[in-house]
Amino acid sequence: MAENKNLISGATGDWEIVLGLEVHAQVASKAKLFSGAATEFGAEPNSQVSLVDAAMPGMLPVINWFCVEQAVRTGLGLKAQINNYSVFDRKNYFYPDLPQGYQISQFQQPIVGEGAIEIDLADGAVKEIGIERLHLEQDAGKSLHDQHPNMSFVDLNRSGVALMEIVSNPDMRSAAEAQAYVKKLRAILRYLGTCDGNMEQGSLRADVNVSVRKPGDELGTRCEIKNVNSIRFIGQAIEYEARRQVDLIEDGGTVEQQTRLFDPKTGETRAMRSKEEAHDYRYFPDPDLLPLEFSQEFVDEIAKDLPELPDEKKARFINDYGLTPYDAGVLVGEAENAAFFESAAEGQDAKAVANMVIGSVFAGLNKADLDIADSPVSAAQVGQLVGLIADDTVSGRSAKEVFELMFEDGPDQGKNPAVIIEEKGLKQVTDTGAIEAAVDEVIDANPDKVAQAKERPKMAGWFVGQVMQATGGKANPQAVNKLVMLKLGLE
Amino acid sequence: MTDLTQLNLADARDGLAKKQFSAVELTQAHIDRVSASSALNAYVLETPEKALAMAAESDAKIAAGEARPLEGLPIGVKDLFCTKGVRTTACSNILGDFTPPYESTVTQNLWNDGAVMLGKLNNDEFAMGSSNETSRFGPVVNPWKAGDTALVPGGSSGGSSAAVAARLGIAATATDTGGSIRQPAAFTGTVGLKPTYGRCSRWGIVAFASSFDQAGPITHTVRDAAMMLSSMASFDKRDTTSVERDVPNYEAALTGDIKGLRVGIPQEYRVDNMPAEIEKLWQQGIEWLKAAGAEIVDVSLPHTKYALPAYYIIAPAEASSNLARYDGVRYGARQQGTDIDDMYAQTRAAGFGDEVKRRVMIGTYALSAGYYDAYYVKALQVRRLIAEDFTKAYEKCDVLLTPTTPSAAFEIGKNVEDPLEMYLNDVFTVTVNLAGLPGISVPAGLDGDGLPLGLQLIGQAFGEETLLRTAGVLEQAAGFDAQPQDWWSA
């Protein structure tokens, strides 16, 4: 095994963090897992509740096959074992937001078995994280404690919404790896379209299992941090929890197996319940539902229209477009970004396009807090602008200005870069005569600098800068450089 | 005019068709009789206005020549079936005055076929019981009496069996989880049919044990049972355990011809302490079927003795989970508590009766960590073996003949303090539920105290036609026409 460079140091030496994640991903389905009720986010409380979701007497669950398809699709995307026979179990416990008094889940026989995903580490290496299983289950409702001074209310809109619980092996060794894992998993889900990956709305949330040990030792006792709902919080929760465990052990204590909660306000985790208080869920096969069975053809049919996934796309970007692994990795993070890049790169220098997409488009969108779908500059315009740089119509420096103008105009104005260049007079000057005149002017005005430049040829850069400034950035830099060298007698 | 409450379902249908009386008259006669029957406590809710409105609609249909299969026939509904706008409690305090905004599939099927609802019938709380003594509304009294002793009508469908026997409805819906249709039918001289698991939809029936629960009718005759089942049975997309299969016209199966039919006699059903009268009746049943041209075959169901213990693990296990929804949060009765856990505890302590609590506790225990494999998993293995027993037996025969119960109706209160004795009532019926097969109890004679006794026929999965045909022959041969003396009418 590769040496772990992510050890954290304690008073008694270095410690290794061991992390496994259980990610709950809401299936992108308009209807719930066992009822036809809607699943739209943000609806009026209890406006999306069927008789089944409210667990009225005599109501029975009926499997939503669309959700089954999404689970299979996700399993295929995780290169995992698909189980053509799986079983729904009841997980029994009492809670006001759990109307049936049990959650329908899959315990012993999940729909998807072992798989793996690859994550990119900071040093450029790739690490494989094992997936233990994926199973389908119902979400619970929500208790509202702020509606009445001494009563709690319950909103059942989420009750029965389909979740995929994706369980990793304890393969991660740092907060950064866990974050990279969630990012990658989220990207895969979004590529597949099986989960919208919206962590703010709770469509994707993670239970993080944290333990620490001295390198080479047996696994330590783990604590599970429940329902962490942002990638940043996942990092904070792990850092805090690992440090807490190390300090505890080094102070002579022992880590207790616990379920803990992360508080984003304090950045700390606190105990929810210990192992002794843990529920006995009394899992047993749900007698209201037949085992979930489907044919290999059903799976093959889904496999047929599986999209290109992030890893494959990245490899293709490196091979076909000659991008660096880093740029390719950035571009494939979101399917929409990759598509934007590919559209812009059509017929253009792909590396230059990648630079502009990452450097200008992403930066601009980030600053303006916009999604790529709402980008004021279209992919076609990015492609055109790169083309105009390549054929020397505009200098790189002026191109930045053109981009900013397009970005400000927004898509409604729809002015193409060529039009803006024309209107603003940003066309690059390639006329040697005009450039020569500007060079002569600068040389004549600065005899002292000319003398210096003869001693130190690097000074030539200063002259180039002056000329560029004098021509308002429109002069072709290569042409200016050549002339400056020539006139200064440095060539 | 003759007493319209003396008619069976088929005769009433024919009388309506011939316009000898109207659906309103037929219904009114039953309403009157029901309202005078409070001593039996068979009905927990009477719906006379609804009944008369439905009957008037039926009369219009009949007049228009558009009569449906059960047009204008007044029936009672076990309180386990959810009925839209009509209080449904499963005879448990915990449901309070719960009034469903939906109608169970089975009752909807009946109304779609023109049947008329007289009201809701008493049953053991959540169908847990064999004597109808666990109802929140108090015990049902069997119309049949041994001297002056008040007897149980069987359970859990005791309201259904008593109502039909006392002619407080021409037929009734019922449910059978371990014998809850057949045992009360045997105790009241009526016919009780439990169909194959999956034949009737469970949607809208308050669940007891999901993998056993099945709806069926209690009627006067085998023909009436066939008529009722033809309407009650359906494939229902809302119940994935219901089976997609055409519903035959079961009445047409009653040809009276069982020549060459192989009737299996399972040796393991000769249990210790079985009353000689029941043993004798069973032998009589064999002779009747033989005389009708059937071939009698001895068969073995070797795992029978494990059926009752396995049932009393699996059914409570499922029940403990099915009844978790009665928590006081969304509907039904709620007791206030100091916090949420206390509210649950108070609500369930006050809302459930002793027998329900007993089964919830047994089931919870059987599913607990550390006991699950020893109890629940083992019981499932037994269940599979019992199903295999039947499969093997059916290689040698077409139907099985057994007694329905090990005794006739017993005294109210007799077994209340002894749950195990009570559970033994299901010894001949419960195997059928474990295997998901159809079974029917046919009244076949009276014991020395003048109480009815039933014989049970067990069919193959979805073999209801053969089952009913055989039952028809048995019924014919037995010629059971005894009726309880009306001591209850006020």
Side-chain angles (χ1 to χ4, degrees), chain A residues 244-387:
Chain A
R244 185 188 73 86
Q245 292 183 15
V246 167
D247 290 350
L248 188 64
I249 299 168
E250 293 192 329
D251 287 348
T254 47
V255 175
E256 235 192 294
Q257 189 171 331
Q258 274 177 339
T259 302
R260 297 179 71 84
L261 212 60
F262 175 71
D263 183 348
K265 285 192 200 98
T266 59
E268 295 173 359
T269 66
R270 60 184 151 80
M272 254 172 87
R273 55 175 182 263
S274 70
K275 195 183 175 186
E276 287 71 36
E277 298 164 296
H279 298 289
D280 178 354
Y281 290 119
R282 291 172 282 119
Y283 283 99
F284 75 108
D286 191 328
D288 284 334
L289 290 161
L290 301 173
L292 186 57
E293 289 182 90
F294 44 77
S295 64
Q296 191 52 42
E297 290 75 63
F298 175 81
V299 180
D300 294 343
E301 212 41 51
I302 296 168
K304 247 190 238 168
D305 57 27
L306 221 55
E308 184 184 38
L309 291 170
D311 288 342
E312 297 145 25
K313 202 182 280 285
K314 184 180 169 187
R316 184 166 61 80
F317 281 11
I318 294 168
N319 291 331
D320 294 6
Y321 293 115
L323 302 188
T324 63
Y326 177 81
D327 283 356
V330 171
L331 288 171
V332 303
E334 297 277 358
E336 293 82 356
N337 291 348
F340 187 95
F341 160 74
E342 287 210 80
S343 170
E346 222 177 292
Q348 305 296 347
D349 174 5
K351 283 167 113 168
V353 171
N355 283 336
M356 187 174 293
V357 170
I358 295 168
S360 303
V361 180
F362 290 177
L365 293 175
N366 224 347
K367 211 168 145 191
D369 198 18
L370 288 174
D371 282 339
I372 189 97
D374 305 320
S375 173
V377 181
S378 72
Q381 289 172 328
V382 170
Q384 288 165 19
L385 187 52
V386 170

Side-chain angles (χ1 to χ4, degrees), chain A residues 178-478:
Chain A
Q179 289 175 311
Y181 168 78
V182 175
K183 274 187 203 161
K184 187 59 173 286
L185 180 57
R186 182 174 175 275
I188 292 170
L189 293 169
R190 286 174 53 83
Y191 268 63
L192 293 165
T194 55
C195 169
D196 69 19
N198 191 325
M199 298 189 82
E200 277 167 31
Q201 295 180 358
S203 305
L204 192 82
R205 47 195 202 263
D207 298 343
V208 188
N209 286 290
V210 183
S211 66
V212 298
R213 65 176 173 189
K214 288 285 174 68
D217 277 5
E218 295 288 301
L219 287 174
T221 304
R222 67 190 164 88
C223 287
E224 181 181 21
I225 312 166
K226 279 278 183 199
N227 265 333
V228 192
N229 66 353
S230 89
I231 288 172
R232 191 159 57 93
F233 293 161
I234 289 171
Q236 289 175 2
I238 293 169
E239 299 286 3
Y240 176 87
E241 179 61 19
R243 176 54 62 188
R244 185 188 73 86
Q245 292 183 15
V246 167
D247 290 350
L248 188 64
I249 299 168
E250 293 192 329
D251 287 348
T254 47
V255 175
E256 235 192 294
Q257 189 171 331
Q258 274 177 339
T259 302
R260 297 179 71 84
L261 212 60
F262 175 71
D263 183 348
K265 285 192 200 98
T266 59
E268 295 173 359
T269 66
R270 60 184 151 80
M272 254 172 87
R273 55 175 182 263
S274 70
K275 195 183 175 186
E276 287 71 36
E277 298 164 296
H279 298 289
D280 178 354
Y281 290 119
R282 291 172 282 119
Y283 283 99
F284 75 108
D286 191 328
D288 284 334
L289 290 161
L290 301 173
L292 186 57
E293 289 182 90
F294 44 77
S295 64
Q296 191 52 42
E297 290 75 63
F298 175 81
V299 180
D300 294 343
E301 212 41 51
I302 296 168
K304 247 190 238 168
D305 57 27
L306 221 55
E308 184 184 38
L309 291 170
D311 288 342
E312 297 145 25
K313 202 182 280 285
K314 184 180 169 187
R316 184 166 61 80
F317 281 11
I318 294 168
N319 291 331
D320 294 6
Y321 293 115
L323 302 188
T324 63
Y326 177 81
D327 283 356
V330 171
L331 288 171
V332 303
E334 297 277 358
E336 293 82 356
N337 291 348
F340 187 95
F341 160 74
E342 287 210 80
S343 170
E346 222 177 292
Q348 305 296 347
D349 174 5
K351 283 167 113 168
V353 171
N355 283 336
M356 187 174 293
V357 170
I358 295 168
S360 303
V361 180
F362 290 177
L365 293 175
N366 224 347
K367 211 168 145 191
D369 198 18
L370 288 174
D371 282 339
I372 189 97
D374 305 320
S375 173
V377 181
S378 72
Q381 289 172 328
V382 170
Q384 288 165 19
L385 187 52
V386 170
L388 292 166
I389 300 169
D391 69 10
D392 288 339
T393 304
V394 68
S395 70
R397 188 174 145 175
S398 296
K400 282 209 171 79
E401 197 181 334
V402 174
F403 182 87
E404 270 157 30
L405 286 166
M406 287 195 293
F407 200 92
E408 279 162 27
D409 280 356
D412 297 339
Q413 311 279 331
K415 274 183 200 160
N416 282 338
V419 176
I420 294 176
I421 291 167
E422 197 58 49
E423 281 179 7
K424 300 281 173 184
L426 293 169
K427 204 161 184 298
Q428 179 164 262
V429 180
T430 43
D431 169 5
T432 335
I435 297 172
E436 197 172 349
V439 172
D440 287 344
E441 205 172 308
V442 174
I443 287 178
D444 291 346
N446 298 285
D448 51 334
K449 292 272 197 298
V450 173
Q452 285 174 25
K454 304 244 186 226
E455 297 299 311
R456 283 175 53 225
K458 274 190 178 167
M459 275 294 294
W462 182 85
F463 286 91
V464 173
Q466 291 297 306
V467 175
M468 292 304 290
Q469 202 168 14
T471 57
K474 285 177 285 183
N476 180 322
Q478 280 85 34

Side-chain angles (χ1 to χ4, degrees), chain A residues 25 46 137 147 249 412:
Chain A
N46 295 313
E137 65 181 29
Q147 309 284 308
I249 299 168
D412 297 339

Side-chain angles (χ1 to χ4, degrees), chain B residues 147-395:
Chain B
D148 284 336
T149 309
L151 304 174
V152 303
S156 65
S157 309
S160 303
S161 67
V164 173
R167 302 194 172 268
L168 312 176
I170 313 186
T173 70
T175 61
D176 191 316
T177 304
S180 282
I181 290 175
R182 292 158 289 158
Q183 184 253 17
F187 278 14
T188 56
T190 53
V191 173
L193 170 61
K194 182 206 98 79
T196 308
Y197 184 78
R199 181 72 285 190
C200 293
S201 168
R202 294 184 295 114
W203 193 89
I205 300 173
V206 175
F208 161 15
S210 309
S211 72
F212 300 98
D213 295 346
Q214 186 61 201
I218 290 181
T219 56
H220 292 298
T221 67
V222 172
R223 178 171 300 276
D224 289 2
M227 283 173 66
M228 285 288 282
L229 184 63
S230 296
S231 289
M232 292 169 79
S234 68
F235 167 63
D236 184 357
K237 282 183 181 156
R238 295 174 300 180
D239 172 7
T240 45
T241 64
S242 80
V243 174
E244 190 161 12
R245 211 181 154 102
D246 288 340
V247 178
N249 177 356
Y250 290 113
E251 216 183 332
L254 304 175
T255 60
D257 180 6
I258 58 161
K259 276 191 198 70
L261 185 86
R262 297 169 304 164
V263 178
I265 309 300
Q267 58 186 58
E268 290 80 5
Y269 280 55
R270 294 183 198 284
V271 294
D272 296 343
N273 306 324
M274 186 153 77
E277 287 172 315
I278 288 180
E279 179 84 48
K280 204 177 129 205
L281 184 70
W282 190 9
Q283 194 54 47
Q284 179 66 64
I286 293 170
E287 300 304 328
W288 283 331
L289 293 177
K290 206 191 276 180
E295 182 192 334
I296 304 300
V297 188
D298 280 327
V299 296
S300 174
L301 300 170
H303 297 92
T304 299
K305 65 178 169 193
Y306 304 114
L308 211 50
Y311 172 81
Y312 275 98
I313 288 170
I314 302 169
E318 292 181 10
S320 71
S321 177
N322 282 336
L323 268 55
R325 64 187 56 198
Y326 307 107
D327 58 4
V329 173
R330 298 169 311 288
Y331 50 78
R334 175 194 294 176
Q335 304 293 320
Q336 293 303 338
T338 52
D339 59 19
I340 184 70
D341 288 330
D342 189 46
M343 189 279 274
Y344 288 148
Q346 302 289 345
T347 296
R348 289 167 68 83
F352 290 142
D354 286 349
E355 184 59 28
V356 171
K357 283 177 194 160
R358 176 158 32 241
R359 298 200 196 189
V360 167
M361 286 169 73
I362 291 171
T364 303
Y365 182 82
L367 290 175
S368 297
Y371 301 100
Y372 182 83
D373 290 337
Y375 292 103
Y376 184 73
V377 172
K378 194 57 110 184
L380 289 187
Q381 287 166 350
V382 170
R383 185 177 193 174
R384 198 171 314 124
L385 290 172
I386 285 168
E388 283 168 13
D389 281 356
F390 279 105
T391 306
K392 281 193 196 125
Y394 283 131
E395 287 168 6

Side-chain angles (χ1 to χ4, degrees), chain A residues 39-234:
Chain A
T39 60
E40 205 178 310
F41 179 79
E44 278 289 299
N46 295 313
S47 64
Q48 298 178 161
V49 186
S50 75
L51 296 167
V52 175
D53 306 326
M56 301 298 267
M59 292 299 100
L60 300 170
V62 176
I63 186 70
N64 174 349
W65 277 94
F66 179 79
C67 294
V68 174
E69 276 177 44
Q70 304 318 299
V72 170
R73 197 171 153 81
T74 305
L76 292 169
L78 299 174
K79 303 188 171 37
Q81 163 79 32
I82 305 297
N83 296 325
N84 300 43
Y85 179 99
S86 64
V87 174
F88 283 107
D89 297 288
R90 291 185 183 177
K91 179 180 179 179
N92 295 283
Y93 65 97
F94 284 93
Y95 208 69
D97 64 18
L98 188 74
Q100 298 164 132
Y102 54 85
Q103 176 195 34
I104 305 177
S105 181
Q106 297 189 298
F107 184 51
Q108 283 182 337
Q109 291 169 280
I111 183 167
V112 176
E114 288 186 358
I117 69 178
E118 288 181 346
I119 59 169
D120 296 320
L121 302 180
D123 62 3
V126 168
K127 178 172 177 176
E128 186 176 285
I129 307 295
I131 301 289
E132 185 191 314
R133 59 186 282 163
L134 175 156
H135 67 253
L136 280 167
E137 65 181 29
Q138 298 177 298
D139 204 351
K142 197 168 78 177
S143 296
L144 309 169
H145 302 295
D146 54 1
Q147 309 284 308
H148 188 278
N150 44 23
M151 302 271 267
S152 289
F153 286 20
V154 179
D155 174 8
L156 296 179
N157 281 353
R158 285 193 76 91
S159 168
V161 164
L163 302 178
M164 295 178 284
E165 180 171 329
I166 303 161
V167 183
S168 83
N169 287 330
D171 289 349
M172 288 154 277
R173 295 291 177 269
S174 69
E177 286 185 16
Q179 289 175 311
Y181 168 78
V182 175
K183 274 187 203 161
K184 187 59 173 286
L185 180 57
R186 182 174 175 275
I188 292 170
L189 293 169
R190 286 174 53 83
Y191 268 63
L192 293 165
T194 55
C195 169
D196 69 19
N198 191 325
M199 298 189 82
E200 277 167 31
Q201 295 180 358
S203 305
L204 192 82
R205 47 195 202 263
D207 298 343
V208 188
N209 286 290
V210 183
S211 66
V212 298
R213 65 176 173 189
K214 288 285 174 68
D217 277 5
E218 295 288 301
L219 287 174
T221 304
R222 67 190 164 88
C223 287
E224 181 181 21
I225 312 166
K226 279 278 183 199
N227 265 333
V228 192
N229 66 353
S230 89
I231 288 172
R232 191 159 57 93
F233 293 161
I234 289 171

